[in-house]
Amino acid sequence: RLLVELAEDNGTTTAQRILGSVESRLDVEEKLFVFGFLEYDDDRFSGFKFEIEGAFGAGYKVVDDSNMRLLVQAGPGYRLGKLSLLGTAQDEFVVRGSADFEYQFSDSSSLNSTSIVTWDSSRTTLENTIALTSDLFGGLSSRLSFNVRYSSDPPALTRKTDTLSKVSLVYGF
């Protein structure tokens, strides 16, 4: 996954984020799987210069049929970040859990919701993205989405809660 977010309001930059992540899943049984996850997040407005997080664990396919899917997963991990203001490193062992829901309305449109919880000794972060995606042509789709991110103890001069509404073009391959 590669995500680039840039937003301006009256000439003032209000969002600037580059995120890259990779996740691998291996089925153990019909509904049970194991996963590995690695992410790099460079968000100018998070209070961090960057954060790197990795985790592994187990997951379960609660629902997995032709038009609806719900996957839950959790496991231990590690997060390393560098604070923007002080330039100091911050690293923690974490517990990461997530739930992915997808409902396929038709052959060309779907509703997705992804919720992520990361907990460590200094803070808890919650993130939810809900998106409506419609195929345009080939691998190109249009997407309307709303994202909420919350941190229980954010770095100085940053907000606990951040929201972002987007209209996007998505290319799947």
Side-chain angles (χ1 to χ4, degrees):
R1 175 178 164 205
L2 178 62
L3 172 79
V4 178
E5 294 174 344
L6 299 169
E8 287 188 3
D9 186 12
N10 293 324
T12 302
T13 301
T14 58
Q16 184 175 330
R17 182 181 189 197
I18 299 171
L19 179 138
S21 67
V22 62
E23 182 171 330
S24 183
R25 295 183 184 139
L26 176 65
D27 288 339
V28 176
E29 294 181 5
E30 184 180 339
K31 292 191 172 243
L32 186 66
F33 61 90
V34 293
F35 75 93
F37 171 82
L38 184 62
E39 177 178 83
Y40 174 83
D41 191 357
D42 180 348
D43 184 350
R44 177 177 163 188
F45 294 94
S46 70
F48 289 90
K49 286 187 179 183
F50 67 86
E51 287 188 286
I52 299 170
E53 182 178 323
F56 65 93
Y60 188 75
K61 299 173 185 175
V62 179
V63 177
D64 191 17
D65 58 30
S66 61
N67 66 337
M68 187 166 32
R69 183 179 70 152
L70 173 61
L71 307 177
V72 294
Q73 61 189 40
Y78 183 76
R79 179 172 46 207
L80 171 67
K82 189 170 187 179
L83 293 167
S84 294
L85 289 178
L86 303 174
T88 56
Q90 191 178 61
D91 62 325
E92 295 275 353
F93 286 101
V94 300
V95 175
R96 183 179 195 278
S98 67
D100 293 315
F101 174 77
E102 180 179 355
Y103 181 72
Q104 192 77 33
F105 289 106
S106 67
D107 290 341
S108 62
S109 61
S110 64
L111 176 72
N112 301 72
S113 178
T114 302
S115 299
I116 302 166
V117 177
T118 305
W119 174 85
D120 62 45
S121 63
S122 62
R123 67 183 165 135
T124 300
T125 59
L126 307 167
E127 182 170 359
N128 179 263
T129 302
I130 189 163
L132 179 60
T133 306
S134 295
D135 293 346
L136 295 174
F137 54 87
L140 195 62
S141 301
S142 64
R143 179 175 291 161
L144 300 172
S145 63
F146 181 73
N147 174 266
V148 178
R149 291 190 294 162
Y150 169 82
S151 177
S152 64
D153 189 18
L157 305 176
T158 58
R159 297 180 294 186
K160 285 187 173 192
T161 304
D162 190 21
T163 61
L164 186 60
S165 301
K166 296 187 287 187
V167 176
S168 310
L169 289 176
V170 178
Y171 183 75
F173 49 92

